Amino acid sequence: MKIWAVANQKGGVGKTTTSVALAGLLADVGKRVLIVDLDPHGSMTSYFGYNPDNLERTGFELFQHGGQVPDGLAAQLLQKTSHPRIALLPASTALATLERQTPGKSGLGLVISKTLAQLWNDFDHVLIDSPPLLGVLMVNALAACQQLVVPVQTEFLAVQGLERMVHTLTMINRSRRQALPYLIVPTLFDRRSQASLSTLKLLRDRHKEHIWPAYIPTDGRLRDASRAGLVPSQFDPGCRGVIAYRALLKSLLARQPGQPA
């Protein structure tokens, strides 16, 4: 099982679109994919037609057992999506209350790691959509993953959010045996915009070692796919956005030599 987290400490940078697009492309070539929504806003959950306000069973249940995950619970929480090879672990808006409910409690940072251990033989790839705030949910995503994808909108305020994310990674890596590899992905790029062009250059200058050399362009077909509840490659496999995400997936898989795609 390969586990990737998609995170940034700023919203609106394309985290959910990136998670769903990569999941769809993996599923299209026969991989069994699990997508995990850890964002209380539930954008990924809503993407596939579920309401994070009134779902009876969600990932929130995982955090109600003192840091342990009862046997079999993970599989009971999974939902179907529009793609037959993609399963969803949905979010609930109740996830936003975790920080208030669990002050001072230890052991909650590995809940998602323990959850995925129960599903290890059921999926080939996992993509975790992380919330844009540093807290127990993002810590879970970073602790569980083997590769971090950091989407960054090509505009100045998003660059500031990236600096906070890199600082967070520095802190997290102090507690890991091995540093977490991460790839910065420029998103929502508009070649007609001077702001996009200058921000892309700034990203490449500041983060040469960790930035993906290409970018994800703005593409209305990605929004249309979201409205239809379909992964982008189902909706329009030839659109600019999907072509870019296909190149990104190839790059991510190449970063893990010796492991089958």
Side-chain angles (χ1 to χ4, degrees):
M1 179 188 281
K2 293 180 181 177
I3 306 169
W4 299 343
V6 181
N8 194 332
Q9 284 177 245
K10 184 182 184 305
V13 298
K15 289 190 294 86
T16 298
T17 299
T18 296
S19 302
V20 172
L22 292 174
L25 290 166
L26 286 164
D28 288 345
V29 295
K31 303 304 179 185
R32 302 166 301 166
V33 184
L34 172 64
I35 49 178
V36 179
D37 192 352
L38 287 185
D39 192 338
H41 291 110
S43 296
M44 182 187 282
T45 300
S46 299
Y47 191 111
F48 291 104
Y50 299 102
N51 186 340
D53 288 325
N54 59 23
L55 266 176
E56 288 188 9
R57 307 202 70 183
T58 71
F60 181 67
E61 284 190 43
L62 298 168
F63 295 89
Q64 305 306 300
H65 305 279
Q68 301 305 311
V69 181
D71 289 343
L73 177 59
Q76 295 171 25
L77 301 178
L78 302 187
Q79 298 282 355
K80 294 180 179 179
T81 71
S82 57
H83 199 299
R85 284 187 288 275
I86 299 177
L88 167 70
L89 179 58
S92 163
T93 50
L95 285 169
T97 68
L98 275 181
E99 304 291 342
R100 296 196 304 272
Q101 287 187 9
T102 57
K105 287 189 179 179
S106 59
L108 291 184
L110 297 177
V111 167
I112 295 302
S113 297
K114 294 172 183 177
T115 299
L116 297 181
Q118 292 187 7
L119 303 169
W120 197 264
N121 295 320
D122 299 328
F123 296 97
D124 303 305
H125 290 260
V126 178
L127 284 113
I128 304 172
D129 191 4
S130 175
L133 297 172
L134 178 58
V136 67
L137 294 169
M138 183 180 283
V139 167
N140 266 269
L142 298 180
C145 75
Q146 304 148 349
Q147 169 75 51
L148 177 64
V149 179
V150 186
V152 182
Q153 183 181 359
T154 47
E155 60 96 24
F156 182 68
L157 290 178
V159 174
Q160 293 180 313
L162 173 61
E163 301 305 326
R164 290 193 295 273
M165 190 70 222
V166 171
H167 178 67
T168 295
L169 277 171
T170 301
M171 292 191 299
I172 292 289
N173 281 337
R174 289 176 186 151
S175 63
R176 292 177 64 106
R177 295 181 202 165
Q178 194 170 9
L180 177 62
Y182 66 96
L183 184 66
I184 297 165
V185 178
T187 60
L188 298 165
F189 178 78
D190 183 353
R191 64 172 59 252
R192 300 165 299 179
S193 163
Q194 185 58 45
S196 271
L197 291 167
S198 59
T199 302
L200 183 61
K201 182 180 185 305
L202 180 63
L203 288 170
R204 288 171 172 171
D205 288 345
R206 286 188 182 177
H207 302 280
K208 294 176 184 177
E209 295 182 7
H210 295 282
I211 194 166
W212 183 48
Y215 54 79
I216 306 297
T218 55
D219 187 345
R221 299 299 279 170
L222 297 176
R223 288 192 299 272
D224 295 340
S226 174
R227 280 194 290 269
L230 298 172
V231 299
S233 56
Q234 282 179 310
F235 186 79
D236 188 347
C239 73
R240 292 181 304 133
V242 170
I243 291 170
Y245 276 116
R246 194 173 284 121
L248 173 60
L249 177 60
K250 183 178 180 180
S251 179
L252 285 166
L253 292 172
R255 288 166 66 86
Q256 297 178 312
Q259 297 186 38

